[in-house]
């Protein structure tokens, strides 16, 4: 279940937050898929990460997922990704679990980043499927993950399952069967797919020992009902207080209230999608909340000033800012 403690937020209103365990497989609650802070010229801005980490902790977030899709990780060089990892580990020490996405088209790059993550004491690594030369079967994907794991065998490895982007066709359950047998450090899955029936089957795969982290923010409530207890997503950077309220209502059996709150989450996501998407528009919203992450890296672009103004007004009209 969702392990909550009660703390006072900065506005002195009591909200449930998740108690951090600073360990990968025992991390529960909200893990923010972090945005990569950039300067207007498109260079990485490491200086904001200390403030960013404190902002997440204050919101009751328990971990960060660095260099993933939200962080636009594949747009950055290996050296840039390493710099980000080192800074996030420093900023998060003792406060947040750090999951590092090391997936890359080149297995050598992925191995190099896995070794680096381990040497810098990240809590876990994650690997997405290569997107140009896609693995054709579950065993092919396990081959790739196994090669990464062998380079850094002591750090827990997660598979980043996101079929809408990676366009993988193999069965995730077949993948689990093989990965459990062949990869000693295999810890679980970042499951970013809307197929909740399949997620439920994976959640209780074998003896239920795998750590299945759910990655579709707009379905957090439904995933709770399917046994999820760890959630990785973009919008946990922006309004974690709302998700804590959803979980609290669910745990108290207040299901109608939980459904009402989940609908608010989806309405916010729809606004972000209308103004460029969760990455470009979400960056603008996080800037507005005081964490300057700047524009996305090309070829994506930020909404123009007029669009941002309209977006913020729509969010104001729906009382969104009461949740931040």
């Amino acid at each position: 279940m969702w392990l909550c403690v009660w703390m006072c937020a900065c506005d002195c209103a009591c909200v449930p937050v998740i108690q951090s365990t600073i360990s990968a497989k025992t991390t529960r609650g909200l893990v923010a898929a972090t945005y990569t802070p950039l300067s207007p010229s498109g260079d990485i801005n490491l200086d904001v990460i200390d403030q960013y980490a404190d902002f997440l902790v204050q919101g009751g977030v328990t971990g960060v997922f660095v260099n993933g899709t939200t962080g636009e990780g594949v747009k950055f060089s290996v050296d840039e990704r390493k710099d980000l990892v080192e800074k996030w580990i420093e900023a998060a020490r003792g406060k947040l679990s750090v999951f590092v996405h090391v997936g890359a088209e080149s297995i050598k790059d992925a191995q190099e980043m896995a070794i680096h993550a381990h040497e810098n004491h990240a809590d876990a690594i994650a690997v997405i499927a290569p997107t140009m030369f896609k693995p054709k079967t579950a065993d092919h994907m396990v081959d790739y993950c196994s090669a990464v794991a062998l380079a850094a065998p002591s750090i827990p490895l997660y598979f980043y399952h996101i079929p809408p982007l990676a366009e993988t066709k193999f069965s995730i359950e077949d993948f689990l069967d093989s990965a459990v047998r062949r990869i000693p450090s295999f810890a679980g899955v970042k499951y970013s797919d809307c197929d909740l029936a399949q997620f439920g089957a994976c959640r209780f795969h074998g003896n239920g020992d795998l750590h299945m982290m759910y990655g579709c923010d707009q379905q957090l409530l439904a995933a709770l009902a399917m046994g999820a207890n760890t959630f990785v997503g973009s919008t946990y950077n922006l309004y974690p207080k709302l998700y804590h309220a959803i979980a609290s209502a669910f745990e108290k059996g207040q299901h109608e209230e939980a459904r009402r709150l989940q609908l608010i989450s989806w309405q916010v996501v729809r606004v972000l999608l209308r103004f460029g998407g969760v990455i470009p528009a979400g960056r603008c919203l996080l800037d507005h909340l005081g964490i300057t992450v700047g524009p996305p890296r090309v070829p994506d672009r930020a909404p123009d000033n007029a669009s941002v103004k309209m977006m913020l007004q729509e969010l104001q009209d729906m009382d969104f800012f009461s949740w931040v």
Side-chain angles (χ1 to χ4, degrees):
M1 292 298 293
W2 191 301
L3 305 177
C4 294
V5 294
W6 291 89
M7 295 179 60
C8 289
C10 58
D11 61 358
C12 297
C14 284
V15 296
V17 298
I18 312 306
Q19 186 166 9
S20 178
T21 53
I22 317 301
S23 171
K25 284 198 72 172
T26 56
T27 297
R28 298 292 181 266
L30 305 181
V31 176
T34 53
Y35 295 96
T36 297
L38 297 179
S39 68
S41 63
D43 294 319
I44 291 175
N45 178 12
L46 299 176
D47 294 340
V48 75
I49 291 178
D50 287 316
Q51 179 194 10
Y52 193 171
D54 289 341
F55 176 81
L56 294 175
V57 171
Q58 188 176 42
V61 170
T62 57
V64 289
F65 190 88
V66 179
N67 287 331
T69 304
T70 305
E72 306 168 75
V74 296
K75 293 181 181 179
F76 297 95
S77 69
V78 170
D79 285 342
E80 287 177 313
R81 290 169 71 170
K82 286 181 178 180
D83 288 344
L84 281 162
V85 167
E86 289 175 20
K87 184 58 184 177
W88 268 111
I89 290 171
E90 175 190 323
R93 187 170 293 118
K95 298 181 287 188
L96 297 161
S97 298
V98 179
F99 297 81
V100 177
H101 173 241
V102 302
E105 293 299 301
S106 164
I107 188 63
K108 294 297 184 182
D109 287 348
Q111 290 171 329
E112 180 180 342
M113 289 186 286
I115 293 168
H116 175 266
H118 172 59
E119 290 177 344
N120 283 274
H121 308 294
D123 294 288
I125 56 175
V127 178
I128 197 172
T131 55
M132 179 63 74
F133 297 98
K134 297 177 177 61
K136 294 181 175 62
T137 69
D139 272 331
H140 290 167
M141 188 65 232
V142 174
D143 289 345
Y144 182 93
C145 291
S146 180
V148 176
L150 285 172
S154 299
I155 188 169
L157 180 141
Y158 288 74
F159 174 51
Y160 183 3
H161 179 60
I162 184 166
L165 289 182
E167 297 181 337
T168 48
K169 305 297 184 184
F170 55 79
S171 162
I172 182 63
E173 293 175 72
D174 288 347
F175 172 86
L176 295 182
D177 288 339
S178 183
V180 167
R181 292 195 311 269
R182 294 177 52 194
I183 305 174
S185 61
F186 182 63
V189 177
K190 178 185 183 293
Y191 187 98
S192 296
D193 191 11
C194 293
D195 188 338
L196 281 161
Q198 186 181 69
F199 172 80
C202 294
R203 169 68 179 81
F204 297 103
H205 180 274
N207 295 321
D209 293 333
L210 293 175
H211 188 201
M212 297 295 300
M213 305 190 294
Y214 195 68
C216 297
D217 313 14
Q218 69 273 22
Q219 291 186 314
L220 179 142
L221 176 58
L224 280 169
M226 295 302 294
N229 52 31
T230 312
F231 304 85
V232 185
S234 310
T235 61
Y236 308 145
N237 291 284
L238 304 170
Y239 45 103
K241 181 179 175 182
L242 176 60
Y243 293 103
H244 290 304
I246 293 169
S248 178
F250 175 80
E251 289 177 350
K252 294 174 182 176
Q254 299 170 351
H255 296 155
E256 192 61 36
E257 174 66 1
R259 286 190 286 268
R260 183 186 73 83
L261 295 172
Q262 182 71 81
L263 179 59
I264 294 173
S265 166
W266 173 230
Q267 290 169 336
V268 175
V269 170
R270 290 176 68 180
V271 171
L272 296 176
L273 292 174
R274 282 202 304 276
F275 287 94
V278 174
I279 296 174
R283 282 176 165 274
C284 292
L285 181 53
L286 193 54
D287 285 352
H288 182 75
L289 297 177
I291 307 300
T292 306
V293 292
R297 181 163 277 188
V298 293
D300 291 304
R301 60 171 61 179
D304 60 32
N305 290 337
S307 296
V308 173
K309 184 176 180 180
M310 290 174 61
M311 178 183 75
L312 294 175
Q313 186 59 57
E314 285 195 26
L315 293 172
Q316 180 67 47
D317 291 345
M318 59 188 292
D319 199 29
F320 163 78
F321 293 102
S322 65
W323 291 107
V324 300

